[in-house]
Amino acid sequence: MQEEIRGVTRWRRSAFLALPATVAIGAMATAMVQGALAANLSLTSVPFTLSSKTVAAPQGIGAVMHTVDTGGPKGAAEVGLAKAGLDGICVHAVQSVDLPVIGNLGTWSLNISSPAAATPLTSDQLVAGAGLQANKLVLDAQALKASTATLHAADGSPNVIGAAADSEGIKSTGITDGTPGQFGLDATGGRTDIKNLNADANAATISGAITLPDLAIGIAHGDKGC
């Protein structure tokens, strides 16, 4: 009996499956570098992590209570930064892939990253335009942690814990769907400095332009981060 040459079939199938992903990733990378793609990482059914070494938000931060649908309603914090400078970013999402006829392809990771500077950037440098720059960055987060966070305030604009979720200060951060009368954090009276940000998120939106030095977008088999 003639032995089946299995290797040829596997390679052809792998190339067929990989081609659409490769083309899509290449197109996304080109579009983002050229500023033609709105950066909306809305993966409401696929939780992901977003991390950055240092974040400086010259116009402060706002936060409200929010609900996301991840296979059912779930509470989350909606956190907004009107403008943010970041020293590096990593977005890491993991999902099990099932295709009709072919079946389960296992667990795959999508990583979107822009590395931190070789010499760590200061908050002043980030505010001046160094590093990754984003406008109206809004996160729907199950958890948001940092090693340190400093929320500055001006004499006439104190930080308010318990501000109305639809207040003008919170709206200025990019959060436009806060429920009137509900609880919010308005810390838009001065700069916010965050070290070692790590967020477990369901969505991240950037309404304005985004600059990503040394952008890398890739997929990997298994749970492999940036």
Side-chain angles (χ1 to χ4, degrees):
M1 180 181 296
Q2 184 177 2
E3 183 179 356
E4 182 183 358
I5 304 175
R6 297 179 179 273
V8 174
T9 302
R10 284 201 299 268
W11 278 109
R12 285 178 179 173
R13 177 176 293 179
S14 297
F16 174 75
L17 294 174
L19 182 59
T22 303
V23 172
I25 289 170
M28 287 175 64
T30 302
M32 291 186 79
V33 169
Q34 294 176 346
L37 180 67
N40 185 333
L41 310 172
S42 186
L43 308 173
T44 53
S45 62
V46 185
F48 61 93
T49 61
L50 184 149
S51 57
S52 181
K53 192 170 185 178
T54 305
V55 180
Q59 298 171 33
I61 189 172
V64 301
M65 299 173 70
H66 192 53
T67 301
V68 295
D69 189 356
T70 57
K74 183 181 293 186
E78 189 173 17
V79 181
L81 304 170
K83 184 174 177 59
L86 301 92
D87 188 7
I89 192 172
C90 171
V91 175
H92 172 58
V94 181
Q95 187 171 21
S96 178
V97 178
D98 287 284
L99 294 179
V101 181
I102 295 173
N104 187 277
L105 298 181
T107 298
W108 290 79
S109 297
L110 169 65
N111 295 313
I112 304 171
S113 64
S114 179
T119 300
L121 297 173
T122 66
S123 293
D124 288 339
Q125 289 175 311
L126 292 170
V127 168
L132 185 162
Q133 297 292 316
N135 294 302
K136 297 293 177 63
L137 171 60
V138 179
L139 291 172
D140 282 341
Q142 299 296 317
L144 192 150
K145 299 178 182 179
S147 59
T148 61
T150 304
L151 282 62
H152 299 278
D155 291 340
S157 302
N159 295 329
V160 180
I161 299 174
D166 63 334
S167 68
E168 290 304 314
I170 290 177
K171 286 181 179 179
S172 72
T173 68
I175 299 174
T176 58
D177 56 355
T179 303
Q182 287 198 350
F183 184 94
L185 166 66
D186 183 350
T188 58
R191 189 172 84 188
T192 293
D193 297 325
I194 301 172
K195 294 290 187 182
N196 298 316
L197 172 69
N198 194 295
D200 295 326
N202 295 100
T205 60
I206 299 171
S207 300
I210 179 172
T211 303
L212 292 162
D214 299 318
L215 170 69
I217 301 176
I219 56 174
H221 189 249
D223 186 353
K224 299 177 181 177
C226 301

